[in-house]
Amino acid sequence: MHAMAKIKLALGCLLIMNLCSMQTQGQNTTLDPLWIDQIANQHNMSLPDWGPYTKRYIGISHIPSEKEGLRFDLSVFPGIYRGKTTLPNVMFESGFHPWQATPDLSYFSFRHELEWKDRVYADISYSSIDSQARLIRAELVNNTDLPQSLVLHFMANMNFPPIREYAANEPIYPAEAILPSGAIWTDALDYVDVSFAKIQPGDDLVYDGKMRGEIRASELVNGSGLGRGFGSTAGDNVTYKFKIDKDISEAYLLIRYRLGKGNETVLKLSGLTDLTERFTGNGNLQIKKIALGTISKGQYNLTLTAQGGKGIDLDGFTIIPQTKVEQVSFKTRQWDYKPEIIKGSRSNSVILKYKDSDAYYGIIWEAKQYQIRQFFGKDLDLIFPAKVHNHVNNRFDSEGLGHFTNIYLRPLTVEPQSKKVVYARVVTGTLPEVQQRITDADMTEQTCQSIYDSNRNKLPEMKPVPAGDKLLFSQERMAATILTNVVYPVYTQKSYIKHYAPGRWWDCLYTWDSGFIGLGIAELDIRQALECLNAYVTRPGSQSAFIHHGSMVPVQHYLFLEIWNRTQSQEYLAFYYPRLRQYYEFFIGRLGSSTMDKFNSGLLSSFDYFYNSGGWDDYPAQKHTHNKRLGGKVSPVVNSAHAIAIARIMSMAAEALGETQDISIYQQDITRLTQSLQKFSWDQDSGYFGYVVHNDKKEPVGILRDDNGINYNMGLDGIYPLVAGAGTKEQNKAMLEKLKSPSNIWSSVGLSAVDQSAPYYRNDGYWNGTVWMPHQWFFWKALLDLGEGEFAWEVARRALDLWQKEVDATYNCNEHFIIETGRGAGWHQFGALSSPVLKWYAAYFRPGTLTTGFNAWLIRKDFAQDNSSLEAEIKLYGQDGNTDHCSMVLCLNPAYNYVVHWNGTEIEPRIIDNGIMDISIPLHDSTGILSVKKNGRH
């Protein structure tokens, strides 16, 4: 059967299959096939409208309308009465920590430290009541010998869609087309086809998942238009299809556009009409009126083809009778920050109505002493600390546009060595609904505590075997961090989405970070992991081969393999294979506008798409490349290495689907890239592969070296062929020596990004002189493929111990660790690239976990209900003869001893601790049955 026919058949089955269950304890995990049908071709997360989506001050947010990009925030922060109150600003360290969260965000909590460390603090949680309401629970704890007089501030505000990423509080002001009855506005982005005469590398990989040629700007209808130099080159063209419902005599085409003052562009119009028109600019948006004569009802095409001139921004067009031309106007949205403040239907309640949303918001609290105040201004960071103790006024003004409604509860007395719990609710709906919800709200402690307990009981199970007990606290903080690092709105594919972010500072897409977010969340919830993958792949034939932002590291393929090895879902495989194949084809340099394969050496380079090849910012070879403006001439190792590795993943998937023709393509790619690395990149003297420099004819001319002739690539990039399986036996031996040597890569806190003996190694870099988790995970998995299970354990153990020590000390989940001190650094609430700690923890300490390298494809597996046995069928793909065995990590019930068989032959595992095994599997069998059975109690 043809590939597409099989895919269509599999997708058709989704509509008639019953719901499948999902086990979160152990890895007998199954996917509900209907999930795939529900999220197909979407990039949003199926998380609730209520969540921790803010980009300002931590608390709970509500999305009244995803289409509009609006977000209501209710921030809650505690303080000392007439003392210190710290705003929990999400953009810097401000005294709060993600504490707990369920994957579906029906419950999440934050710890706010008022007196470090845990002497005086508040655990503030948010629990689901139903789709319209959430319970807020503030547990105020006093662990000192003195009484404490505390406060709670509820701070409500409406937030509007930002004009771009990294500008969360700079809203876009879109326009609306005001048209006469019967007229239809065709947006400039609603084209059926657009092409630029001058091909750009990103034509088939539009940054941030925008549409080709898309611009975002205030005053444009819907905030978007077609631009980016469109019209500046003869031959640029765009085509629209539309319908005219009735005949129009004396019809006019009105095109809204913008050109620089004094600039001109000539466009040829065809299809609907056959005219050539000159567009002149005054720097503002203006209307070009074009007489069409009589137009009959029917379907039409309109193509605009550039004849030459300056780039033009097109907003859209409409076709109307000449008599109604003057009725066309455009109104720019002016956001209204200040709500109408309405008294609730009971005391201790208030209702807020914002002009730009249909929703009403009701807030109910139980404290008897309170004050409602208003803060006007863009933010609270300066005015609030200055005015928080002002007991005279109820209104405070500062710079900028914005409004915050403050419900100030005080004083809340907490006796020594005791705690106090305060409850509140936030509800939404129509005004009658909200008033009724306020009237009916049961605020008794028994009811509120029951709501809290029932939601909190859904926290992911993370209990380890006893050997991992000391790690549990730090892992729970990481789980809470990665699950609550969700922001809204993020703009992509003409829509606003909820999106897992590396940290709230990055309120945007980030391709390789989000792949790692998916890898981490896979240890907590398989559906959310699947949606992380889904957010970044596109259906075959899409404008963009995948959703791209940032470093070109194809982590989605590795996430794809992880999800398959968890689920063995054929529906999943059939749906995602063509999407990952499209991604791969662009990455390998064959698809559309891709320039990844632009050199005659056959080596790949992603520098046309981002300055960062492997996510490692100030990595010396990369930093030198950009300092010397060599980006168009050098190829880093990591791009080609990842291409080889993901080609193997795609080959395994193709074999499982019976796509034999694809397999040969992948194998040819693997051979070609491996030969190119061997021929041009290997540096015998240093023991590292090097960046390859090319001349103006794109021919390779040597390895990138420093002024003293030393290979500039002494670091992780230089040994990445280990991950790809692209080294010879001798090279693997040399690279493993570098990896394991304390003088080179193996530092006291893990794998250094840069060889510590290199002359360009520093102790003050971002990556240079530090240890990060993501590339350690790649090498850890590669070590399993190479049969280096013992060193793989050392890598994982050192990383987990390092993580545990820092989190226990600070409650922070850091980006990276400084080798000189072993301390955490960078962003303090980082999920993303730090997520491998969740994977190492699961691999070695969570019963019911089988972990392989990249070259193993699980055909089936079955854990006993109590995780006291495993039988798995596994296909092994080997290392092209460079090793005779691979390693697998298995964690089972620690109460038992175990006997291990591979294809009926007993294997003696290396026991790491009770229930934790490193199993060495011979590679002479391509497919085998791994059987592990209990053999008596300890």
Side-chain angles (χ1 to χ4, degrees):
M1 185 182 293
H2 189 272
M4 287 309 297
K6 284 190 284 188
I7 292 166
K8 290 177 180 178
L9 176 61
L11 292 176
C13 292
L14 300 179
L15 300 176
I16 59 175
M17 295 187 68
N18 294 325
L19 294 176
C20 297
S21 61
M22 182 189 76
Q23 280 185 256
T24 55
Q25 179 65 28
Q27 289 191 18
N28 293 328
T29 306
T30 56
L31 281 175
D32 174 353
L34 293 181
W35 289 354
I36 301 170
D37 186 50
Q38 292 164 4
I39 66 176
N41 307 319
Q42 296 185 33
H43 302 274
N44 201 6
M45 301 292 163
S46 61
L47 293 168
D49 289 337
W50 296 95
Y53 307 137
T54 185
K55 305 176 188 181
R56 284 179 176 266
Y57 309 103
I58 205 61
I60 190 164
S61 302
H62 180 259
I63 302 168
S65 169
E66 284 190 343
K67 181 180 179 181
E68 295 289 332
L70 306 182
R71 187 189 74 246
F72 169 76
D73 285 351
L74 181 61
S75 304
V76 185
F77 41 96
I80 308 295
Y81 181 52
R82 303 201 66 76
K84 185 176 82 169
T85 297
T86 302
L87 279 75
N89 193 311
V90 302
M91 300 304 287
F92 49 81
E93 289 194 57
S94 55
F96 79 92
H97 305 274
W99 208 249
Q100 293 179 322
T102 59
D104 65 358
L105 297 179
S106 59
Y107 167 85
F108 53 93
S109 68
F110 302 94
R111 175 159 294 185
H112 299 249
E113 292 282 350
L114 301 180
E115 190 174 329
W116 184 260
K117 180 182 184 186
D118 292 342
R119 286 171 52 80
V120 184
Y121 67 90
D123 281 342
I124 302 178
S125 66
Y126 307 87
S127 302
S128 174
I129 299 173
D130 54 41
S131 62
Q132 290 183 283
R134 289 299 188 265
L135 174 76
I136 301 168
R137 182 182 185 272
E139 183 173 308
L140 309 175
V141 180
N142 178 13
N143 285 330
T144 73
D145 294 328
L146 297 172
Q148 299 289 342
S149 188
L150 305 181
V151 300
L152 280 176
H153 290 275
F154 295 83
M155 197 69 74
N157 74 306
M158 184 63 77
N159 297 267
F160 304 101
I163 194 166
R164 60 184 178 276
E165 64 274 4
Y166 305 115
N169 301 322
E170 296 179 26
I172 191 169
Y173 297 92
E176 177 186 0
I178 311 299
L179 304 176
S181 176
I184 296 174
W185 175 259
T186 299
D187 197 88
L189 286 187
D190 291 340
Y191 49 70
V192 294
D193 186 47
V194 65
S195 64
F196 288 78
K198 185 177 180 181
I199 296 174
Q200 297 294 326
D203 284 352
D204 294 301
L205 192 71
V206 187
Y207 206 59
D208 282 327
K210 291 186 172 66
M211 306 305 292
R212 190 176 299 145
E214 181 174 3
I215 57 172
R216 295 279 289 164
S218 294
E219 299 184 345
L220 296 175
V221 174
N222 301 318
S224 292
L226 174 63
R228 300 207 173 274
F230 180 84
S232 61
T233 304
D236 291 351
N237 74 87
V238 60
T239 298
Y240 301 91
K241 285 186 177 181
F242 54 92
K243 182 180 180 181
I244 295 177
D245 292 328
K246 60 182 181 180
D247 297 346
I248 305 175
S249 60
E250 295 189 76
Y252 267 72
L253 169 65
L254 273 58
I255 299 177
R256 194 171 190 235
Y257 72 97
R258 178 168 52 203
L259 265 171
K261 188 174 183 179
N263 290 344
E264 289 190 351
T265 295
V266 177
L267 299 178
K268 178 178 174 55
L269 284 61
S270 57
L272 171 69
T273 185
D274 186 13
L275 296 169
T276 298
E277 295 288 335
R278 184 177 302 276
F279 291 72
T280 59
N282 60 15
N284 300 314
L285 284 161
Q286 56 194 111
I287 298 290
K288 178 74 171 180
K289 302 174 184 178
I290 302 170
L292 300 176
T294 299
I295 299 292
S296 302
K297 67 179 181 179
Q299 297 282 351
Y300 288 90
N301 290 348
L302 173 63
T303 298
L304 308 178
T305 304
Q307 305 300 295
K310 299 292 186 179
I312 186 172
D313 295 340
L314 297 174
D315 192 21
F317 63 88
T318 187
I319 298 170
I320 58 174
Q322 188 272 338
T323 56
K324 296 184 177 182
V325 166
E326 298 306 318
Q327 296 179 31
V328 175
S329 63
F330 297 86
K331 182 180 180 182
T332 299
R333 194 83 172 258
Q334 297 299 320
W335 305 113
D336 194 336
Y337 292 86
K338 184 181 182 300
E340 178 186 2
I341 301 176
I342 305 167
K343 185 176 180 180
S345 56
R346 62 196 276 182
S347 60
N348 297 5
S349 69
V350 71
I351 299 173
L352 305 177
K353 174 62 175 69
Y354 296 87
K355 180 180 177 182
D356 296 294
S357 170
D358 292 334
Y360 288 76
Y361 291 97
I363 306 166
I364 316 157
W365 59 93
E366 63 171 341
K368 294 180 180 179
Q369 292 177 278
Y370 64 88
Q371 182 180 7
I372 297 177
R373 309 189 297 181
Q374 299 181 67
F375 287 80
F376 289 79
K378 187 175 182 180
D379 54 50
L380 296 168
D381 296 285
L382 294 178
I383 189 173
F384 185 82
K387 302 295 185 180
V388 64
H389 304 310
N390 185 317
H391 61 276
V392 177
N393 299 325
N394 288 327
R395 171 173 175 149
F396 307 98
D397 294 274
S398 61
E399 294 181 355
L401 297 175
H403 181 277
F404 299 84
T405 304
N406 176 210
I407 304 165
Y408 175 23
L409 312 186
R410 82 275 189 263
L412 303 168
T413 302
V414 186
E415 297 300 326
Q417 302 299 331
S418 67
K419 65 181 180 181
K420 177 189 288 288
V421 177
V422 178
Y423 293 104
R425 292 191 187 197
V426 56
V427 302
T428 189
T430 64
L431 181 57
E433 287 174 337
V434 170
Q435 289 283 24
Q436 192 63 49
R437 295 296 294 260
I438 292 173
T439 300
D440 295 344
D442 182 352
M443 299 297 291
T444 61
E445 182 176 358
Q446 181 179 4
T447 297
C448 292
Q449 188 67 28
S450 176
I451 294 169
Y452 167 80
D453 289 339
S454 64
N455 284 282
R456 189 172 179 271
N457 286 339
K458 294 189 290 182
L459 286 168
E461 174 57 54
M462 299 187 70
K463 184 174 176 59
V465 298
D469 282 345
K470 72 171 186 176
L471 303 172
L472 179 58
F473 179 86
S474 64
Q475 294 294 314
E476 289 175 334
R477 303 294 77 75
M478 183 64 201
T481 297
I482 201 169
L483 290 171
T484 58
N485 268 344
V486 189
V487 295
Y488 176 88
V490 169
Y491 181 81
T492 189
Q493 296 284 283
K494 298 170 69 175
S495 63
Y496 293 109
I497 65 170
K498 298 183 286 284
H499 186 68
Y500 288 103
R504 293 181 190 278
W505 196 84
W506 297 271
D507 63 324
C508 62
L509 301 155
Y510 225 107
T511 305
W512 92 294
D513 290 73
S514 292
F516 270 102
I517 290 169
L519 286 166
I521 289 180
E523 304 302 335
L524 307 170
D525 185 90
I526 200 67
R527 170 158 185 164
Q528 295 306 316
L530 179 66
E531 292 190 5
C532 285
L533 171 62
N534 195 69
Y536 282 84
V537 296
T538 56
R539 62 179 177 269
S542 296
Q543 269 194 9
S544 290
F546 55 95
I547 303 299
H548 173 233
H549 179 109
S551 304
M552 191 82 85
V553 184
V555 187
Q556 282 67 35
H557 290 81
Y558 301 96
L559 174 57
F560 166 75
L561 179 61
E562 288 283 304
I563 295 175
W564 165 261
N565 280 343
R566 291 292 179 87
T567 65
Q568 291 83 58
S569 166
Q570 289 294 327
E571 294 80 17
Y572 161 81
L573 181 62
F575 182 81
Y576 283 102
Y577 175 78
R579 287 158 171 76
L580 270 297
R581 188 184 189 280
Q582 176 173 263
Y583 189 148
Y584 171 83
E585 287 292 307
F586 192 94
F587 192 86
I588 204 75
R590 276 195 295 266
L591 180 66
S593 64
S594 176
T595 60
M596 292 288 292
D597 184 18
K598 62 186 176 184
F599 296 125
N600 294 332
S601 64
L603 296 170
L604 306 182
S605 174
S606 62
F607 286 142
D608 283 347
Y609 298 95
F610 199 60
Y611 78 95
N612 206 325
S613 63
W616 34 40
D617 301 74
D618 63 339
Y619 186 80
Q622 180 171 272
K623 191 171 186 292
H624 176 81
T625 292
H626 294 303
N627 287 344
K628 298 298 183 180
R629 302 183 182 278
L630 298 174
K633 294 187 175 183
V634 301
S635 58
V637 176
V638 68
N639 295 144
S640 297
H642 273 303
I644 294 169
I646 66 174
R648 283 202 174 92
I649 293 171
M650 294 303 294
S651 181
M652 290 188 283
E655 184 175 339
L657 282 169
E659 301 290 351
T660 54
Q661 185 175 355
D662 287 355
I663 295 172
S664 63
I665 295 172
Y666 300 131
Q667 294 304 319
Q668 290 169 19
D669 291 339
I670 291 169
T671 300
R672 173 176 56 84
L673 286 166
T674 300
Q675 290 175 348
S676 293
L677 284 171
Q678 291 292 330
K679 184 175 181 180
F680 302 115
S681 183
W682 174 246
D683 179 29
Q684 183 70 39
D685 292 340
S686 67
Y688 287 95
F689 286 80
Y691 274 38
V692 176
V693 182
H694 301 76
N695 60 22
D696 291 340
K697 296 180 180 180
K698 301 188 182 301
E699 298 167 336
V701 294
I703 287 174
L704 184 69
R705 301 181 184 277
D706 70 7
D707 292 340
N708 296 313
I710 296 172
N711 186 343
Y712 238 129
N713 203 29
M714 295 172 63
L716 292 182
D717 185 274
I719 56 173
Y720 235 94
L722 276 177
V723 175
T728 65
K729 276 188 176 182
E730 293 73 20
Q731 290 168 348
N732 284 357
K733 181 180 178 181
M735 290 188 288
L736 282 170
E737 287 176 355
K738 300 292 187 184
L739 196 69
K740 295 178 179 181
S741 170
S743 299
N744 302 116
I745 300 296
W746 185 230
S747 80
S748 60
V749 292
L751 300 180
S752 172
V754 180
D755 187 319
Q756 298 165 96
S757 70
Y760 37 76
Y761 174 84
R762 302 174 63 102
N763 68 353
D764 63 344
Y766 185 45
W767 280 74
N768 194 351
T770 66
V771 164
W772 291 65
M773 302 300 175
H775 290 294
Q776 286 197 118
W777 182 78
F778 282 119
F779 280 95
W780 172 72
K781 293 279 279 188
L783 288 167
L784 297 179
D785 283 328
L786 290 163
E788 293 280 345
E790 189 168 358
F791 187 56
W793 161 239
E794 292 301 321
V795 170
R797 180 171 63 176
R798 190 165 290 189
L800 288 170
D801 288 346
L802 178 70
W803 186 261
Q804 175 249 322
K805 182 178 178 181
E806 183 66 27
V807 176
D808 285 0
T810 65
Y811 298 162
N812 286 339
C813 293
N814 289 104
E815 271 187 280
H816 59 106
F817 294 81
I818 298 171
I819 292 173
E820 193 170 61
T821 63
R823 295 304 305 275
W827 194 252
H828 61 298
Q829 292 170 0
F830 202 67
L833 305 181
S834 295
S835 70
V837 297
L838 290 169
K839 305 201 73 61
W840 289 316
Y841 175 75
Y844 291 98
F845 298 108
R846 289 188 65 188
T849 308
L850 172 67
T851 305
T852 70
F854 295 127
N855 295 330
W857 184 266
L858 268 65
I859 299 170
R860 61 177 178 86
K861 69 180 187 306
D862 183 39
F863 285 93
Q865 189 171 3
D866 66 348
N867 295 312
S868 64
S869 69
L870 165 70
E871 182 171 294
E873 184 177 1
I874 307 169
K875 185 168 180 61
L876 303 174
Y877 286 81
Q879 283 274 339
D880 299 327
N882 288 340
T883 183
D884 58 4
H885 65 283
C886 67
S887 295
M888 298 182 187
V889 181
L890 178 62
C891 183
L892 290 177
N893 190 321
Y896 302 99
N897 295 309
Y898 294 94
V899 60
V900 180
H901 288 88
W902 174 254
N903 281 341
T905 300
E906 185 173 349
I907 293 174
E908 188 67 31
R910 187 175 67 87
I911 304 300
I912 295 173
D913 209 305
N914 291 344
I916 311 170
M917 289 161 272
D918 169 24
I919 303 171
S920 181
I921 304 290
L923 289 176
H924 53 72
D925 295 321
S926 62
T927 302
I929 304 295
L930 177 65
S931 175
V932 185
K933 297 181 179 179
K934 60 186 177 183
N935 187 28
R937 288 184 173 270
H938 288 298

